[in-house]
Amino acid sequence: MSSSDGMNYAPKGKPNPVIREGESFAIAVAATDHGHINGQVQGLIEAGATLKYTYCANHPERAKDMAAEHGATHVTDLQTILDDPEVQLVAAAAIPNERAPLGIRCMDAGKHYFTDKTPLVSLAQLDDVKAAVARTGKKYMVYFSERLHVECAMHATDLIADGAIGKVVHVAGFGPHRMGDPTSRPDWFYKHAQYGGILCDIGSHQIEQFLTYAGCKDATVSSARVANYAHPSYPELEDFGDATLVGDNGATFYFRVDWFTPGGLRTWGDGRTFIVGTQGTIELRKYLDVTTDNGADQLILVNGEGEQRMSLHGEVGFRFFGQLIRDCIDGTENAMTQAHALKAAELCVKAQIAAEKLVTTG
Amino acid sequence: MSSSDGMNYAPKGKPNPVIREGESFAIAVAATDHGHINGQVQGLIEAGATLKYTYCANHPERAKDMAAEHGATHVTDLQTILDDPEVQLVAAAAIPNERAPLGIRCMDAGKHYFTDKTPLVSLAQLDDVKAAVARTGKKYMVYFSERLHVECAMHATDLIADGAIGKVVHVAGFGPHRMGDPTSRPDWFYKHAQYGGILCDIGSHQIEQFLTYAGCKDATVSSARVANYAHPSYPELEDFGDATLVGDNGATFYFRVDWFTPGGLRTWGDGRTFIVGTQGTIELRKYLDVTTDNGADQLILVNGEGEQRMSLHGEVGFRFFGQLIRDCIDGTENAMTQAHALKAAELCVKAQIAAEKLVTTG
């Protein structure tokens, strides 16, 4: 795994299979356009899933490599996957604006769907997905990796539930990303209609975290902004975005996303989360503790008891994947509710729609 | 000095007198309602000023103690100060809504005025102050201590000017403060008309930093919010506020201020500033590096060269005070321009006026 490139971020978790005697859980991959597919598949396999097929319309070579790595079959026609009754879930990291149509096709074929974030790019797609969920009874689940696949972020979820900082009143999230060599990015990375805008794309992680940490079922976008500060040769790129939201319980949220990770940072982005409760605060330094050798997954808890640091890399694991598999098998919603996943999707699209496009000088 | 209480934050700088042979710079204190007056006076004395008088209408005992400490004369009538032609500058930390009237009275008596932040609490007061500046030719300067009296914050000013992170596109500031025992606070702390609102009061520090770091002459408030999340017995208190601004050069700003510093934090607040430039980032951990013994004034610079930490406590000093004295003597504006100080004042009032008052549940 390369930590210099968030596109291919795929942490290794503790294998913790959830498949019981006499059960099986076969999955297939239907799109490998974004490198997140590696993390999606790895998490599911560690939890006991069996990768049966891989497919990608745009990048068959990647799908072929993934099949070889996991002893799966590479197919050149999606229909093969959809027609196999043994496949229970289809994972995909398609081009963002193709994620919803692909998912709906899978769901209509009787498969659960597990997409890379952002799960969709328009309110029309949201309506289509909601209709598909109602029609098929299948899940449209989302790989919000910046919480689900980050150990300190998962532990924060538990600490808050345990009351370690009282009632959460505010969350702030910073999601800087590395652009890297602009020519290494695919065409769709620069086409607004395809990637959906920066708030919709990498902003979707952030909003999901707010809903989780603040315990909101709904929220309103208070303000949002996007800009292209430094990439004039890519006019449809937004290299900066931020937004403020207020939850249905009055909790407040701010997040910033950007493509300005400096060249000298040792990882793809210094992802941070700051949570303010009535009785304490939590800070997450997700991917590194900059200028130190403390390692990733630093959680800093301050409350009435004092200042406490937890170094959580390798300590927490990634329970989401096993819970998702069990949810598919058992018809439960322990990994994440459908309502929560689609609320995060709705709000990132609404933030994008609401965003003021800043005019910059110099 | 106690570091557990931001109200009395008064860092000791390197004495660096700027008064030349044959010059003198006599100052007086006209209000000690806020503990910041200690930092204001200390900074000026270290730079060579002589404290001649102290006075406080509401707290004569504090003024008397300060006089004893610095060999000054405690007076029971402000007019004594205003009538003494030797006094060149009057420093004061009055109740916020009394700062502008007091300052104007001093300026009309021919004195420069150096007030604690927030410098004023309404646009009407701003107009009055501008008129006084034009009428008297005297300075209405402001103790924006969270930059001017913080070594890492002053060094960031220089690093940015030197181009260490390219063009600044975004600044975020967190200004949490400790409430402490609510009964230890004066009455005016809980009266909105007197303290001016949280964005106007402790938010003024934040906006001044944005204007400085992003190099803006003006800015617009995009959004603002205030709340009373956890102090229902003080209905006029705002224990949370945040706002977004956009500068006249397109740079963006977010800041949060609150009264939720946890009881177990060793200082009064974990003040942070995050600056994103086109070529790098700067993070400031101003008053502590939480859970570590690294000391205050940590500056983390990341750019194309790599990750770099600077531990700056005792290394930078506080040049503002000496520059302010020289500005008063020489008629220059090197410490801070009048336009900058009053623009920060204007914007914090405008943020306060624009703020949505959140209704919170539970």
Side-chain angles (χ1 to χ4, degrees):
Chain A
M1 177 194 111
S2 157
S3 69
S4 68
D5 183 352
M7 201 161 45
N8 295 307
Y9 179 69
K12 265 195 153 345
K14 298 176 172 174
N16 189 19
V18 299
I19 307 296
R20 297 171 192 149
E21 188 74 26
E23 290 178 342
S24 68
F25 194 76
I27 65 171
V29 163
T32 61
D33 294 276
H34 195 296
H36 275 168
I37 191 65
N38 298 305
Q40 295 172 254
V41 166
Q42 177 149 341
L44 289 169
I45 288 176
E46 284 169 356
T50 306
L51 181 62
K52 187 164 185 184
Y53 301 110
T54 68
Y55 168 78
C56 186
N58 300 320
H59 299 282
E61 74 293 351
R62 293 185 196 166
K64 200 176 273 184
D65 288 349
M66 183 176 271
E69 186 185 347
H70 294 286
T73 302
H74 173 248
V75 297
T76 55
D77 183 356
L78 177 62
Q79 200 58 43
T80 309
I81 293 172
L82 301 184
D83 287 344
D84 185 338
E86 206 178 77
V87 173
Q88 294 170 72
L89 179 146
V90 176
I95 296 170
N97 70 327
E98 297 174 2
R99 289 171 186 173
L102 175 61
I104 292 166
R105 190 172 163 199
C106 294
M107 292 160 82
D108 278 328
K111 317 299 185 195
H112 298 292
Y113 181 62
F114 179 44
T115 179
D116 185 23
K117 70 71 230 168
T118 178
L120 45 85
V121 301
S122 70
L123 295 177
Q125 287 191 340
L126 176 66
D127 287 343
D128 292 346
V129 167
K130 284 183 174 174
V133 169
R135 179 170 70 242
T136 66
K138 296 297 168 188
K139 293 184 188 297
Y140 189 96
M141 277 291 120
V142 187
Y143 182 58
F144 290 116
S145 56
E146 294 186 16
R147 185 176 65 89
L148 304 172
H149 229 162
V150 174
E151 289 177 288
C152 67
M154 290 304 289
H155 195 58
T157 312
D158 296 339
L159 285 174
I160 290 166
D162 291 348
I165 60 169
K167 180 177 153 61
V168 171
V169 299
H170 179 73
V171 179
F174 297 164
H177 284 60
R178 171 166 290 146
M179 170 76 73
D181 174 5
T183 64
S184 72
R185 295 280 177 177
D187 281 356
W188 59 262
F189 185 86
Y190 299 108
K191 293 186 177 156
H192 202 281
Q194 289 186 284
Y195 78 88
I198 193 170
L199 297 176
C200 179
D201 181 12
I202 53 180
S204 61
H205 289 292
Q206 297 291 331
I207 291 175
E208 193 279 330
Q209 288 170 82
F210 169 59
L211 294 176
T212 300
Y213 294 140
C216 302
K217 293 212 181 325
D218 202 352
T220 307
V221 177
S222 305
S223 68
R225 310 182 284 201
V226 294
N228 182 331
Y229 280 120
H231 299 87
S233 50
Y234 299 101
E236 293 191 37
L237 177 74
E238 294 162 350
D239 58 23
F240 176 88
D242 69 358
T244 61
L245 284 81
V246 56
D248 56 4
N249 58 2
T252 47
F253 180 45
Y254 170 76
F255 75 91
R256 178 195 97 224
V257 284
D258 68 59
W259 291 100
F260 285 112
T261 290
L265 192 82
R266 82 191 95 155
T267 71
W268 56 270
D270 187 5
R272 301 278 188 97
T273 307
F274 302 86
I275 308 168
V276 180
T278 53
Q279 305 297 327
T281 58
I282 289 174
E283 174 178 352
L284 306 179
R285 299 178 190 166
K286 293 182 169 182
Y287 313 117
L288 83 164
D289 188 4
V290 57
T291 75
T292 78
D293 296 321
N294 292 333
D297 285 299
Q298 299 293 305
L299 187 153
I300 293 170
L301 169 66
V302 185
N303 56 22
E305 311 295 307
E307 304 168 15
Q308 193 179 347
R309 175 185 290 259
M310 303 176 201
S311 192
L312 295 169
H313 204 63
E315 301 296 322
V316 178
F318 307 112
R319 67 171 181 264
F320 171 82
F321 301 92
Q323 289 181 322
L324 174 58
I325 291 173
R326 292 267 25 124
D327 283 349
C328 290
I329 294 172
D330 302 334
T332 50
E333 288 204 309
N334 294 317
M336 179 180 289
T337 69
Q338 187 63 73
H340 174 90
L342 294 184
K343 182 56 71 178
E346 173 189 331
L347 290 168
C348 74
V349 171
K350 285 184 169 172
Q352 189 69 47
I353 292 170
E356 178 187 2
K357 284 162 194 63
L358 297 178
V359 177
T360 61
T361 60
Chain B
M1 178 194 106
S2 159
S3 70
S4 68
D5 182 352
M7 201 163 43
N8 296 306
Y9 178 69
K12 266 199 152 345
K14 299 177 174 173
N16 189 17
V18 298
I19 307 298
R20 296 172 193 149
E21 187 75 25
E23 289 178 342
S24 69
F25 194 76
I27 65 171
V29 163
T32 60
D33 294 275
H34 195 297
H36 275 169
I37 191 65
N38 298 304
Q40 296 172 254
V41 167
Q42 178 148 344
L44 289 169
I45 288 177
E46 283 168 358
T50 306
L51 180 61
K52 184 164 187 184
Y53 300 110
T54 69
Y55 168 78
C56 184
N58 299 320
H59 298 282
E61 74 292 353
R62 292 185 197 165
K64 201 176 271 185
D65 288 350
M66 184 176 269
E69 187 185 346
H70 294 286
T73 302
H74 172 249
V75 297
T76 54
D77 182 354
L78 178 61
Q79 199 59 44
T80 308
I81 293 171
L82 300 183
D83 286 345
D84 185 339
E86 206 178 77
V87 174
Q88 293 172 70
L89 179 147
V90 175
I95 296 170
N97 71 327
E98 298 175 1
R99 289 171 185 171
L102 175 60
I104 292 167
R105 190 173 162 199
C106 295
M107 293 159 81
D108 278 328
K111 317 299 184 195
H112 298 292
Y113 182 61
F114 179 44
T115 179
D116 186 22
K117 68 73 234 170
T118 181
L120 44 86
V121 300
S122 72
L123 295 177
Q125 287 191 342
L126 176 67
D127 286 343
D128 292 345
V129 167
K130 284 183 173 172
V133 169
R135 181 172 67 242
T136 66
K138 295 298 165 184
K139 293 186 187 296
Y140 190 97
M141 277 292 120
V142 186
Y143 182 58
F144 289 117
S145 55
E146 294 186 16
R147 185 177 65 88
L148 303 173
H149 229 162
V150 173
E151 288 177 288
C152 66
M154 289 304 290
H155 196 57
T157 312
D158 295 338
L159 285 173
I160 291 166
D162 291 347
I165 60 169
K167 180 176 151 66
V168 171
V169 298
H170 178 73
V171 179
F174 297 164
H177 283 61
R178 171 166 290 146
M179 169 75 75
D181 174 5
T183 65
S184 73
R185 294 282 177 175
D187 282 356
W188 60 261
F189 186 84
Y190 299 109
K191 293 189 177 153
H192 202 282
Q194 289 187 283
Y195 78 87
I198 192 170
L199 297 176
C200 179
D201 181 14
I202 54 181
S204 60
H205 289 291
Q206 297 291 331
I207 291 174
E208 192 279 331
Q209 287 169 82
F210 169 60
L211 294 175
T212 301
Y213 294 141
C216 303
K217 291 211 181 330
D218 202 352
T220 306
V221 177
S222 304
S223 68
R225 309 182 286 200
V226 294
N228 181 332
Y229 280 121
H231 298 87
S233 51
Y234 299 101
E236 293 190 35
L237 176 74
E238 293 162 350
D239 58 22
F240 175 88
D242 69 359
T244 60
L245 284 81
V246 57
D248 55 5
N249 58 1
T252 48
F253 180 46
Y254 170 77
F255 75 92
R256 178 195 100 227
V257 284
D258 69 58
W259 290 101
F260 286 112
T261 290
L265 192 83
R266 82 190 94 155
T267 70
W268 56 270
D270 188 5
R272 301 278 189 99
T273 306
F274 302 87
I275 308 167
V276 180
T278 52
Q279 304 297 326
T281 58
I282 289 173
E283 175 179 351
L284 306 179
R285 300 178 188 164
K286 292 182 171 184
Y287 313 118
L288 82 166
D289 189 3
V290 58
T291 76
T292 78
D293 297 320
N294 291 334
D297 286 297
Q298 300 292 306
L299 186 154
I300 293 170
L301 169 67
V302 185
N303 56 22
E305 311 294 309
E307 303 168 14
Q308 191 180 346
R309 174 186 290 259
M310 303 176 201
S311 193
L312 295 170
H313 205 63
E315 301 296 322
V316 178
F318 307 112
R319 69 171 179 262
F320 170 81
F321 301 92
Q323 288 181 322
L324 173 57
I325 291 173
R326 291 265 28 121
D327 283 350
C328 290
I329 294 173
D330 303 334
T332 50
E333 288 204 308
N334 294 317
M336 179 179 290
T337 68
Q338 187 63 71
H340 175 90
L342 294 184
K343 182 55 72 178
E346 173 190 331
L347 291 168
C348 74
V349 171
K350 285 184 170 172
Q352 189 69 44
I353 292 170
E356 179 186 3
K357 284 161 195 63
L358 297 180
V359 177
T360 62
T361 61

